[in-house]
Amino acid sequence: MTMRSLLALLLLSIASVNLMAQTQPSNEIALDYTYLHTNAPPGGCGCFSMNGGSGSYAYHLGPQFATVIEVGAVHAAKVDASGLDLTLTSYLAGPRFYYRRPYARFVPYGQVLLGAVRATGGLAPANSGGASSSTVFGSALGGGVEFNISRTITLRVAQVDYFVTTFYNKVDDHQNNLRISTGAAYHFGKR
């Protein structure tokens, strides 16, 4: 190939990527089912499972980057032999990075979300007022894979996060949780 042909091919590639970025949907609303494996009771693992869901809004700043706001809740009834219940409600936000390839249906992504997590129920650590609820710092570090059904509908095949909470537990005030989600997203509004 001649230098002129290579230059034309390069310019065409840049223009097509630029056009793809301009027609990229800029908003996304998602609903997910969430499974959480947690070690909330103090000392040792004391692990148990929680189920629930989440909703999120993402604003795409381009094809590779979005800012995300997520609200979720998971619940467990009759935890272990205690018979107590626990509900965790999370309010998280942060960046999400996508690895998009032209014409690819599967799109992997990674994210770092920070915010607050509120515990309520019989197993919830008491706050200073003595009520059965407490709100602490929480974070989710992880990622997943989306499958593009169309320009507007995406299935979240799987999302796996290391979900950290810092509830008082008389040991180290730190809970390491595994969060797994799956769901669907609707994309709208073009840039």
Side-chain angles (χ1 to χ4, degrees):
M1 293 181 93
T2 68
M3 185 61 127
R4 187 178 281 168
S5 298
L6 286 174
L7 184 59
L9 186 59
L10 179 64
L11 289 173
L12 184 60
S13 297
I14 291 171
S16 65
V17 168
N18 192 22
L19 285 174
M20 255 179 54
Q22 288 178 358
T23 60
Q24 192 71 16
S26 63
N27 298 284
E28 169 188 317
I29 295 176
L31 292 175
D32 294 324
Y33 160 77
T34 302
Y35 167 83
L36 184 73
H37 188 70
T38 185
N39 67 342
C45 180
C47 299
F48 60 96
S49 298
M50 303 178 80
N51 292 286
S54 66
S56 64
Y57 168 78
Y59 181 73
H60 293 265
L61 300 167
Q64 307 298 91
F65 180 73
T67 57
V68 179
I69 298 171
E70 176 188 280
V71 177
V74 289
H75 178 77
K78 297 182 182 177
V79 176
D80 297 334
S82 69
L84 299 174
D85 68 321
L86 178 65
T87 300
L88 297 178
T89 306
S90 59
Y91 308 92
L92 306 171
R96 182 180 290 162
F97 305 94
Y98 295 89
Y99 178 67
R100 294 192 193 276
R101 296 174 321 275
Y103 308 109
R105 289 236 194 241
F106 288 96
V107 179
Y109 63 90
Q111 63 184 11
V112 177
L113 305 178
L114 306 172
V117 180
R118 180 170 176 80
T120 55
L123 193 60
N127 62 17
S128 59
S132 289
S133 68
S134 181
T135 303
V136 298
F137 171 78
S139 64
L141 172 64
V145 177
E146 293 183 341
F147 178 74
N148 295 321
I149 293 177
S150 68
R151 284 191 63 71
T152 57
I153 304 294
T154 300
L155 287 181
R156 189 156 297 147
V157 178
Q159 176 180 305
V160 179
D161 294 305
Y162 170 55
F163 183 58
V164 177
T165 55
T166 56
F167 291 106
Y168 175 72
N169 65 5
K170 300 179 187 173
V171 177
D172 63 358
D173 302 341
H174 187 92
Q175 297 80 40
N176 300 303
N177 309 297
L178 173 66
R179 184 173 78 162
I180 301 171
S181 301
T182 186
Y186 174 70
H187 301 265
F188 61 96
K190 301 195 185 332
R191 290 178 57 88

